[in-house]
Amino acid sequence: MALPQYKQDFLHAAIQGGALRFGSFELKSKRISPYFFNAGDFFTLELHMPIADAYAHTIVAEAPEFDVIFGPAYKGIPLASTVLYALGRIDFAKYRNVAYSYDRKEAKDHGEGGTIVGSPLKGKRVLIIDDVVSAGTAKRQAIDMIRAQGGTVVGIVVALDRQETLPDGDGKTSAIGQLRKEYDIPILAIVKLNDIIAAGTKGVISDSDVIQRIQEYRAKYGASE
């Protein structure tokens, strides 16, 4: 089955722009990964449009109803506003009253003050948007922050699901899987590692050696939940 066009466009932009790179990369877990993804490299309009559109299409297809898109500082901040705009281009009538919000790393003690910028979160259904889930620590902090503001987290959307086990876990569960269990919320991704492998078999990624190394990495560290 072919990948949806928006996923293909996202992968193409990520590879061409260097946000998705192949080689040998040491992760925080000390694992040596054959690929590395950094959403911070989507800093030109040419690259930012495909990722914003891909997030929006993922949300339209899979996300529950929500009132606010929340982008955790820092990478989530530009994503929150641009993805809301992309949603408006797809279905303005449906999303016209949806708002966005983000946090400050340090509370502001003058002007409007506080740690939250944008829409108030009290009584709102909140969808978190970010680049990836690593250990899940940052997402837990975001959930706690939103709850402290009186909001309800209804889901999380990220760009990439690595589909790999936690270094200190049970050998079966990924960081995303662990968060799903803890909070009982959907956690969506534009693409998963399996999609990258599938892209290789469909010619979106032309280097067969790269795909083979990724398949070997998946066999060694892949989550089974």
Side-chain angles (χ1 to χ4, degrees):
M1 182 177 179
L3 290 175
Q5 190 61 48
Y6 71 87
K7 292 191 177 188
Q8 294 185 45
D9 292 344
F10 167 77
L11 284 172
H12 178 77
I15 294 167
Q16 293 300 311
L20 178 58
R21 289 175 283 162
F22 304 109
S24 182
F25 306 93
E26 183 174 331
L27 307 179
K28 287 182 180 180
S29 63
K30 302 302 180 182
R31 292 174 181 171
I32 304 300
S33 172
Y35 71 100
F36 184 76
F37 176 76
N38 179 18
D41 287 329
F42 283 88
F43 49 72
T44 66
L45 180 62
E46 181 180 17
L47 299 177
H48 206 69
M49 287 181 69
I51 192 173
D53 288 343
Y55 270 111
H57 281 288
T58 302
I59 289 169
V60 169
E62 303 179 56
E65 295 294 315
F66 61 98
D67 307 304
V68 178
I69 294 178
F70 181 84
Y74 289 101
K75 290 179 182 177
I77 294 174
L79 290 173
S81 58
T82 54
V83 171
L84 181 57
Y85 178 77
L87 285 169
R89 291 174 57 200
I90 294 173
D91 191 341
F92 179 78
K94 179 176 180 179
Y95 296 105
R96 64 183 300 166
N97 292 316
V98 171
Y100 78 90
S101 182
Y102 60 90
D103 66 302
R104 295 187 178 98
K105 287 292 188 179
E106 296 180 0
K108 187 176 180 182
D109 60 4
H110 61 280
E112 73 276 17
T115 58
I116 303 298
V117 181
S119 172
L121 303 178
K122 186 175 181 179
K124 303 295 185 181
R125 298 168 296 179
V126 182
L127 183 68
I128 296 174
I129 187 167
D130 212 347
D131 57 345
V132 295
V133 174
S134 297
T137 304
K139 305 304 175 289
R140 291 181 180 90
Q141 291 173 344
I143 291 171
D144 289 345
M145 184 186 310
I146 291 165
R147 288 178 170 177
Q149 293 288 325
T152 300
V153 177
V154 296
I156 300 172
V157 186
V158 296
L160 174 65
D161 179 358
R162 293 181 61 92
Q163 294 184 294
E164 68 179 75
T165 56
L166 288 163
D168 55 353
D170 59 9
K172 299 179 181 179
T173 307
S174 68
I176 284 181
Q178 185 63 39
L179 285 174
R180 286 195 186 106
K181 291 178 181 178
E182 284 182 37
Y183 296 102
D184 192 26
I185 56 174
I187 303 178
L188 315 173
I190 298 173
V191 293
K192 301 177 180 179
L193 183 57
N194 286 345
D195 292 324
I196 296 176
I197 294 171
T201 64
K202 300 296 183 181
V204 178
I205 300 171
S206 57
D207 192 332
S208 59
D209 288 339
V210 165
I211 297 303
Q212 181 177 345
R213 290 196 296 272
I214 293 175
Q215 287 175 319
E216 291 170 354
Y217 186 84
R218 176 83 169 102
K220 187 174 183 178
Y221 296 116
S224 60
E225 91 286 350

